[in-house]
Amino acid sequence: MSAPAVEAQEPFNRKTLFWGIFASLLAAAGFFLLSTYAPDFRQPGNGGATPLSKSGVGYAGLAEWLRLTGEAPLMARTEDDLARDILLIVTISPDSDPEALDHILNLRQDQNTLFVLPKWQILPLQGHESWNMKFGRLPGSVVNEWLGRIADATIGAGQSTAKQLDIEGNMVAAPEELQWVADKYPLIAAGNDKAVLTELDDKPFYILTDPDLINNAALKDPEKAAAALGLIALLQPDDGPVMFDLTLHGAGRKYDLAKLLVEPPFLALTLTILIAAALAFLHGLGRFGPPRLKPTPKTKRHPAPGAKTAHRIWRGRPRAARGGR
């Protein structure tokens, strides 16, 4: 009497296995997307001359001051942001991206844009995150390299004799080691034929040569804080928000292969490949073709009695007797 057949049991439940694989794929996709776009969400407030920096050379104070006295300023992270027809404030630091500046110059040839030049050499302050210390002026060649991309001008040599500056009726003390350019028709003068704020002749571009009029270090002085609002109002007479540029400091300007895969026009190709892979996986869960039949055991044949002996005799006969040639 044969033993009863034992049915083979699957080690894992199919539904559990399916949802486990689905959750793993979903987590992997989320990790991929977050890793791809994480640099865009990081705030470029590293203590440098950025609109989000709270160091002395940063401009987070001006952004907050504008928010408290009117409408909160916008932050330009993409090309679409840069194309908006409002006043754009571009704060330049020595480690900014030159190609990003060239892109802004080409994109905003007919739109009001204020460029703030760098002035100080800085180093991170140990033990204080996003703090820095200044240790001297930037070389004129460094500042002129940035200025030359915007206008055909150079930083003036020598000290200005101006002790005070008139900014829209607000008399403020001239910054330390005032940085200026030669201009016969300045918007903000620093003496005879010297300008701290100048305008290009053929484009609505403005250049603030000395950042110590609007940066965080300057806004601790109430007179300079009031003058900073007057300076912005001079360039943006219509009521409305202004916008700070972040692309010069790395936001939205880094493209890689991962971004190309998840953004148009290659997004359609990526989705097509994923859908095809999903369909292949689902198809693989089922059986291909009819099931194979289990082979039936065959009965073992035994030779008839004397058959082996006859075969040996026949093999032992001469070839000619067996009918061979």
Side-chain angles (χ1 to χ4, degrees):
M1 193 172 179
S2 61
V6 180
E7 294 184 0
Q9 295 183 353
E10 297 179 351
F12 299 102
N13 183 278
R14 284 194 175 187
K15 289 184 178 180
T16 304
L17 186 62
F18 172 79
W19 286 111
I21 295 175
F22 178 78
S24 300
L25 293 177
L26 187 63
F31 177 78
F32 176 78
L33 290 175
L34 289 177
S35 301
T36 301
Y37 288 98
D40 292 346
F41 290 97
R42 294 192 182 107
Q43 304 292 344
N46 57 355
T50 74
L52 301 176
S53 171
K54 297 180 180 179
S55 68
V57 297
Y59 301 91
L62 178 59
E64 181 66 13
W65 185 223
L66 291 171
R67 185 187 70 82
L68 293 174
T69 56
E71 195 169 348
L74 305 176
M75 297 293 167
R77 299 175 179 272
T78 65
E79 185 170 319
D80 292 337
D81 294 336
L82 293 175
R84 298 189 62 172
D85 190 15
I86 57 177
L87 176 65
L88 177 69
I89 302 176
V90 181
T91 58
I92 303 173
S93 65
D95 55 351
S96 294
D97 184 359
E99 293 184 0
L101 179 60
D102 294 339
H103 183 70
I104 293 173
L105 293 171
N106 293 329
L107 191 64
R108 295 186 59 88
Q109 295 189 25
D110 300 321
Q111 296 165 319
N112 289 358
T113 308
L114 171 64
F115 297 93
V116 185
L117 296 179
K119 181 179 180 180
W120 300 106
Q121 300 184 74
I122 59 173
L123 283 176
L125 186 61
Q126 298 295 331
H128 295 277
E129 186 178 359
S130 298
W131 287 27
N132 56 44
M133 58 182 179
K134 64 180 183 181
F135 60 94
R137 287 275 301 274
L138 284 170
S141 59
V142 175
V143 182
N144 285 330
E145 182 178 354
W146 292 104
L147 178 57
R149 291 178 176 271
I150 306 169
D152 186 14
T154 57
I155 292 296
Q159 295 291 331
S160 171
T161 58
K163 301 300 181 182
Q164 286 190 318
L165 303 177
D166 184 0
I167 303 177
E168 288 296 284
N170 297 290
M171 300 301 296
V172 298
E176 175 188 3
E177 300 183 44
L178 185 65
Q179 191 167 263
W180 54 276
V181 294
D183 189 354
K184 292 184 178 180
Y185 307 101
L187 295 178
I188 298 178
N192 295 331
D193 297 337
K194 295 182 178 67
V196 175
L197 180 64
T198 184
E199 180 181 7
L200 271 64
D201 295 332
D202 55 342
K203 297 176 183 177
F205 289 170
Y206 306 92
I207 302 173
L208 182 63
T209 60
D210 199 309
D212 288 344
L213 292 173
I214 62 172
N215 59 19
N216 295 335
L219 295 186
K220 66 182 180 181
D221 182 353
E223 294 181 351
K224 287 185 178 178
L229 294 180
L231 188 151
I232 300 299
L234 173 65
L235 308 181
Q236 179 81 342
D238 299 331
D239 293 336
V242 299
M243 184 165 53
F244 285 92
D245 169 67
L246 294 179
T247 64
L248 203 62
H249 307 288
R253 294 287 300 173
K254 296 179 180 178
Y255 289 94
D256 52 21
L257 179 60
K259 274 190 176 180
L260 292 178
L261 291 176
V262 294
E263 291 183 353
F266 295 103
L267 177 60
L269 175 63
T270 303
L271 293 177
T272 302
I273 294 175
L274 291 177
I275 293 173
L279 292 176
F281 172 75
L282 293 175
H283 189 64
L285 294 178
R287 184 187 300 276
F288 290 91
R292 295 180 60 184
L293 298 177
K294 186 176 180 180
T296 57
K298 295 183 179 179
T299 306
K300 186 175 181 181
R301 292 186 175 184
H302 296 281
K308 288 185 177 181
T309 304
H311 179 70
R312 290 193 188 100
I313 295 173
W314 181 77
R315 293 282 295 179
R317 295 174 63 187
R319 185 180 181 86
R322 286 185 285 160
R325 292 181 182 179

